[in-house]
């Protein structure tokens, strides 16, 4: 009746099940002739579960039994450790000596030197449940000025980095690959988004998609497989977490391939934090300068915030077991309550932030150490955990099935196992405005958070606003006359405080470094608060520009444009709050407003050659 693989998987389960915890799966089957196709279906699924987990279902269930027992006993995984604030680098774009431990420009140069040997991995298997969005998060528009999606923003950045690396090395063949980790939930729509947009101009063979599998759900403390409520012949499955990424990269042979190609660092990005691209080059520079095998991009952490904290866990008796690692937000407070003044996850009164750096969870991993670690006995399967919701204090029954979970930031434990004390794990702290404003929460959850006093509601709208503020600050630091929105200047739109403007988007082709911006902005530039500005292009130079309204300038890859004397005055663009009486598509509703583009001055120039946009607004051909 069963296929050889189905039969094999079933036999393995029966043989493993010495305590009878899985009896409900294979026992009491109706006689042959009844439910035959259902039995085949179940056996095939068991075979899938068996094959997709290193060591098969027995390995998964054995780990689950141990973790569930420890959880039921209330065992504290940090019992033997004390958390202390670790050492790392702190970089400030404005180079304020008070906060920078290394000159930003030095870190940037060191990063630019190696940017051609970086590879990118985007973890995008998560669903936007918290965001109240049923599509894939990568398809959401980062902002309404350009309407570019998160995926396009990341791809354009990688292309700009490749361009920069080619310029610096003179190697026109140099290419930077991207791996996207999807899950069953996000895979078809991610592929479709890429295909519909011709991979946003990236070479198709440079994009690899790896797909994470779900794992078996567990119904009780004995790790009994949870069968679907409505279908006794299906094992319920659940996501395993972003930690899958390491094993998948290993299993698909990508790490070997990259090492053969001479790549040196893997940059891991999350799906909805457009600001992170600012910190990739300087963080790469820190990785190289400090010899970090792993470098977490961090931000000052608000006490109690739903972001992990990077801590040095000092083992109380065995220093060899001490390590620098992320402590997840739900575990930080209980851990800190057991030590020091016992106050838990509270702010340092002097800084107003948690003393522990906040994990933006974008990681840079050095490839030689990574390869060595992944080839170890765990094959990149990071340490898992369980988080069952118990029905009552007896901690025996679950409210709903649970499963093993894993997080990509837990890889330091594997580094330590394979490399011992040689593992060099660090972090780089950047200003929040520069690095971190993810879209994670639904509008109403964000509004509640704001009412409760939060300055980081994590909505689509706060992410968009922070993108504009970041560009205001970047331009201001280069001497551009531009109003910079401070906390008191924010205006409430759709229940979330956002910038009143100017709304500025600088495309990655305009520059991926402070150095590039300095080369491009050579003279006087001025923007009013009600303005919107979009600039993109490798060879766009500003000698003199005034904007009071909306201006878009995009230039092609062989088009050299100098803006010299242009004065833009028009009605510009404006946000419109949504009408509570009306229904809007989901992607509009989660933002809380639309943008009306009343009037725009636009230059889309892609003819090869040299041009000047002059004081009268005309485009003149210029001498080379
Ligand atoms: N993801 C996957 O690719 N697969 C999965 O199975 C799950 C997620 P969330 P979370 O940035 O502030 C993380 O759900 O888990 C992708 C850190 O653990 O957005 O709440 C998913 O698509 C935490 O330490 O994040 O918390 C997305 O790209 C903290 O730093 C990414 O994984 C927090 O992020 C993260 O998934 C943060």
């Amino acid at each position: 009746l069963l296929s050889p693989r189905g039969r094999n998987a079933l036999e393995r389960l029966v043989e493993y099940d010495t305590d009878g915890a899985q009896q409900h799966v294979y026992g009491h089957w109706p006689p042959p002739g009844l439910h035959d196709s259902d039995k085949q279906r179940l056996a095939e699924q068991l075979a899938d579960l068996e094959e997709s987990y290193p060591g098969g279902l027995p390995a998964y269930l054995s780990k689950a039994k141990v973790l569930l027992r420890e959880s039921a006993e209330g065992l504290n995984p940090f019992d033997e450790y004390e958390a202390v604030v670790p050492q790392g680098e702190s970089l400030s774009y404005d180079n304020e000596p008070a906060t920078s431990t290394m000159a930003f420009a030095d870190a940037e140069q060191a990063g630019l030197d190696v940017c051609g040997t970086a590879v990118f991995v985007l973890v995008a298997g998560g669903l936007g449940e918290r965001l109240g969005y049923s599509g894939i998060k990568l398809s959401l528009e980062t902002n309404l000025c350009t309407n570019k999606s998160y995926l396009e923003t990341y791809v354009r950045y990688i292309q700009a980095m490749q361009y920069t690396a080619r310029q610096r090395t003179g190697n026109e063949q140099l290419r930077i690959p991207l791996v996207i980790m999807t899950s069953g939930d996000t895979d078809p729509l991610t592929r479709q988004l890429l295909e519909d947009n011709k991979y946003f101009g990236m070479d198709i063979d440079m994009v690899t998609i790896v797909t994470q599998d779900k794992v078996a759900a567990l119904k009780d403390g004995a790790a009994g497989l949870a069968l679907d409520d409505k279908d006794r012949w299906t094992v319920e499955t659940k996501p395993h977490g972003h930690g899958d990424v390491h094993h998948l990269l290993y299993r698909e042979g990508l790490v070997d391939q990259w090492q053969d190609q001479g790549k040196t660092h893997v940059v891991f990005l999350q799906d909805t934090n457009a600001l992170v691209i600012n910190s990739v080059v300087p963080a790469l520079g820190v990785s190289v300068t400090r010899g970090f095998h792993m470098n977490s991009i961090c931000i000052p952490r608000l006490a109690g915030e739903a972001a992990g904290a990077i801590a040095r866990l000092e083992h109380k008796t065995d220093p060899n077991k001490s390590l620098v690692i992320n402590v997840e937000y739900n575990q930080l407070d209980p851990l800190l309550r057991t030590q020091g003044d016992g106050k838990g996850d509270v702010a340092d009164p002097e800084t107003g932030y948690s003393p522990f750096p906040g994990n933006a969870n974008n990681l840079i991993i050095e490839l030689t150490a990574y390869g060595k670690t992944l080839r170890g006995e765990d094959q990149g399967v990071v340490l898992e955990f369980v988080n069952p919701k118990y029905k009552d204090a007896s901690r025996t029954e679950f409210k709903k099935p649970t499963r093993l979970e894993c997080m990509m930031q837990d890889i330091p434990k594997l580094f330590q196992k394979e490399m011992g004390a040689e593992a060099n794990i660090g972090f780089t702290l950047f200003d929040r405005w520069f690095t971190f404003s993810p879209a994670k929460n639904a509008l109403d959850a964000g509004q509640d958070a704001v009412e409760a006093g939060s300055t980081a509601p994590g909505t689509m709208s706060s992410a968009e606003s922070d993108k504009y503020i970041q560009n205001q600050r970047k331009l201001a630091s280069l001497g551009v006359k531009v109003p910079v929105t401070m906390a008191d200047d924010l205006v409430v739109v759709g229940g979330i405080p956002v910038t009143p403007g100017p709304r500025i988007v600088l495309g990655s082709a305009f520059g991926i470094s402070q150095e590039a911006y300095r080369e491009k902005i050579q003279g006087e530039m001025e923007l009013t608060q009600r303005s919107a500005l979009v600039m993109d292009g490798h060879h766009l130079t500003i000698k003199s520009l005034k904007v009071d309204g909306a201006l878009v300038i995009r230039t092609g890859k062989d088009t050299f444009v100098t803006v010299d004397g242009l004065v833009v005055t028009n009605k510009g663009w404006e946000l419109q709050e949504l009408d509570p009486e009306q229904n809007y598509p989901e992607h509009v509703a989660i933002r809380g407003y639309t943008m009306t583009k009343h009037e725009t001055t636009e230059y889309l120039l892609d003819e090869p050659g040299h041009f000047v946009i002059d004081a009268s607004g005309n485009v003149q051909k210029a001498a080379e």
Side-chain angles (χ1 to χ4, degrees):
L1 176 70
L2 305 180
S3 72
R5 69 189 281 274
R7 185 171 186 86
N8 200 8
L10 191 66
E11 280 175 2
R12 285 246 305 158
L13 184 68
V14 175
E15 194 183 318
Y16 167 76
D17 189 35
T18 47
D19 60 1
Q22 315 301 337
Q23 270 274 351
H24 61 293
V25 179
Y26 60 79
H28 318 297
W29 279 19
L34 286 175
H35 288 282
D36 285 354
S37 63
D38 289 332
K39 291 172 196 162
Q40 283 165 342
R41 200 160 44 83
L42 175 60
E44 289 306 307
Q45 193 197 4
L46 291 174
D48 290 345
L49 291 169
E50 176 76 21
E51 283 163 17
S52 63
Y53 192 85
L57 263 179
Y60 178 76
L61 295 170
S62 298
K63 285 187 196 173
K65 275 183 190 165
V66 174
L67 288 168
L68 286 167
R69 192 178 57 239
E70 289 175 358
S71 165
E73 287 167 0
L75 204 86
N76 175 2
F78 298 108
D79 233 6
E80 310 202 296
Y81 293 95
E82 184 175 344
V84 299
V85 180
Q87 293 283 316
E89 291 292 348
S90 170
L91 293 183
S92 160
Y93 194 74
D94 312 331
N95 253 330
E96 278 181 33
T99 53
S100 246
T101 54
M102 184 176 174
F104 189 91
D106 292 344
E108 185 173 277
Q109 281 307 318
L112 287 170
D113 284 346
V114 294
C115 68
T117 54
V119 302
F120 283 81
V121 177
L122 182 52
V123 290
L127 269 179
E129 282 157 334
R130 266 195 288 161
L131 199 52
Y133 182 61
S134 49
I136 50 164
K137 288 188 278 176
L138 284 180
S139 70
L140 286 166
E141 295 161 329
T142 55
N143 73 93
L144 298 184
C145 290
T146 65
N147 304 96
K148 276 198 179 27
S149 65
Y150 280 97
L151 183 54
E152 177 163 9
T153 303
Y154 297 134
V155 171
R156 297 280 174 210
Y157 177 77
I158 294 166
Q159 286 169 312
M161 195 177 205
Q162 179 175 288
Y163 174 88
T164 306
R166 285 181 178 185
Q167 295 286 104
R168 291 175 74 92
T169 59
N171 175 3
E172 282 302 310
Q173 310 308 317
L174 187 154
R175 296 196 297 169
I176 299 182
L178 166 66
V179 174
I180 305 176
M181 181 173 79
T182 60
S183 64
D185 295 326
T186 62
D187 190 72
L189 288 175
T190 308
R191 288 176 195 271
Q192 196 184 331
L193 182 62
L194 284 166
E195 277 158 25
D196 289 350
N197 293 283
K198 299 195 169 61
Y199 285 68
F200 302 104
M202 199 157 165
D203 293 345
I204 296 180
D205 64 332
M206 282 288 98
V207 182
T208 307
I209 295 182
V210 295
T211 308
Q212 57 178 152
D213 293 305
K214 288 187 177 171
V215 289
L218 307 163
K219 70 182 177 69
D220 53 31
L225 292 171
L227 299 177
D228 194 305
D229 274 350
K230 296 186 201 81
D231 174 14
R232 169 264 177 270
W233 302 99
T234 298
V235 177
E236 201 182 320
T237 58
K238 292 193 174 217
H240 191 216
H242 40 64
D244 279 342
V245 70
H246 303 298
H247 177 68
L248 282 177
L249 295 179
Y250 168 76
R251 197 178 76 188
E252 299 299 319
L254 288 159
V255 173
D256 293 337
Q257 200 177 305
W258 293 332
Q259 283 197 277
D260 291 346
Q261 292 166 353
K263 299 295 183 191
T264 60
H265 290 84
V266 192
V267 181
F268 292 84
L269 302 180
Q270 294 206 28
D271 50 15
T272 58
N273 180 24
L275 296 192
V276 72
I277 56 179
N278 283 327
S279 38
V280 170
V281 168
L284 258 175
V286 169
S287 279
V288 173
T289 312
R290 295 279 303 256
F292 284 157
H293 296 130
M294 170 167 159
N295 184 7
S296 300
I297 292 178
C298 286
I299 35 105
R301 182 175 176 278
L302 302 166
E305 183 175 11
I310 304 295
R312 180 167 172 79
L313 296 178
E314 302 274 12
H315 195 271
K316 289 176 186 160
T317 52
D318 182 356
N320 289 327
K321 289 191 178 155
S322 301
L323 81 171
V324 175
I325 196 163
N326 174 74
V327 178
E328 206 51 354
Y329 42 90
N330 55 338
Q331 295 181 314
L332 185 68
D333 184 68
L335 167 63
L336 296 179
R337 280 182 191 281
T338 64
Q339 63 180 65
D341 60 12
K343 284 191 181 151
D345 181 11
V346 292
D348 173 343
E350 270 187 27
T351 62
Y353 288 106
S354 158
F356 292 89
N359 178 19
N361 220 19
N362 295 276
L363 315 174
I364 297 183
I365 298 186
E366 192 277 322
L367 202 50
T368 310
Y370 191 44
K372 190 172 169 190
T373 298
L374 295 187
R375 287 179 209 109
E377 69 164 312
D378 294 291
Q379 301 177 10
V381 177
V382 293
L383 212 67
E384 291 145 307
F385 60 96
V386 280
N387 190 13
K389 306 283 179 289
Y390 292 105
K391 267 194 184 153
D392 55 40
S394 69
R395 296 174 83 83
T396 46
E397 284 182 71
F398 306 160
K399 282 188 187 155
K400 54 181 187 177
T402 189
R403 83 293 198 176
L404 296 193
E405 295 178 67
C406 60
M407 300 187 297
M408 65 174 177
Q409 62 268 40
D410 275 340
I411 187 115
K413 289 174 195 154
L414 296 188
F415 274 115
Q416 190 184 47
K417 189 165 166 187
E418 298 303 325
M419 302 178 65
E422 268 180 40
N424 186 4
I425 314 286
F427 69 88
T428 310
L429 188 81
F430 294 92
D431 289 318
R432 284 182 80 98
W433 67 263
F434 185 68
T435 294
F436 190 64
S437 184
K440 291 204 182 214
N441 298 324
L443 191 56
D444 49 3
Q447 290 161 349
D448 292 348
V450 169
E451 290 219 338
S454 168
T455 52
T459 57
M460 208 50 261
S461 47
S462 61
E464 175 170 7
S465 171
D466 288 341
K467 188 174 166 75
Y468 301 140
I469 294 174
Q470 158 248 174
N471 281 324
Q472 295 166 4
R473 294 187 74 141
K474 281 205 269 189
L475 291 185
S477 78
L478 298 169
V480 174
K481 288 191 191 127
V482 51
V484 172
T485 306
M486 306 310 279
D488 288 348
D489 307 323
L490 295 164
V491 292
V492 176
V493 181
I496 302 294
V498 298
T499 176
R503 301 189 177 87
I504 306 166
V505 182
L506 305 174
S508 284
F510 189 71
I512 59 163
S513 63
Q514 203 175 47
E515 178 186 76
Y517 289 152
R518 280 192 207 286
E519 276 167 18
K520 290 195 158 88
I521 299 173
Q522 297 182 354
E524 288 273 294
M525 188 170 158
E526 207 173 316
L527 280 148
T528 59
Q529 188 176 75
R530 66 176 202 91
S531 292
L533 173 68
V534 175
M535 294 202 290
D536 206 4
H538 291 301
H539 315 292
L540 176 58
T541 308
I542 310 297
K543 279 210 171 133
S544 165
L545 171 66
K546 279 190 182 167
V547 185
D548 180 32
L551 171 67
V552 176
I553 310 182
R554 293 181 189 282
T555 61
K557 74 176 184 9
D558 299 314
T559 317
F560 293 75
V561 175
T562 304
V563 179
D564 195 358
L566 179 65
V567 179
V568 172
T569 315
N570 60 37
K571 287 190 192 145
W573 302 347
E574 205 183 359
L575 297 190
Q576 246 80 47
E577 262 185 335
L578 301 186
D579 175 353
E581 301 300 313
Q582 267 199 54
N583 279 331
Y584 294 91
E586 215 176 37
H587 73 279
V588 177
I590 59 168
R591 196 179 300 261
Y593 53 80
T594 55
M595 184 184 275
T596 304
K597 296 186 174 173
H598 298 294
E599 236 180 337
T600 310
T601 301
E602 191 169 47
Y603 295 91
L604 307 176
L605 306 169
D606 62 2
E607 188 188 323
H610 287 67
F611 302 89
V612 173
I613 304 177
D614 64 17
S616 58
N618 292 328
V619 181
Q620 310 279 358
K621 200 139 179 88
E624 307 225 334

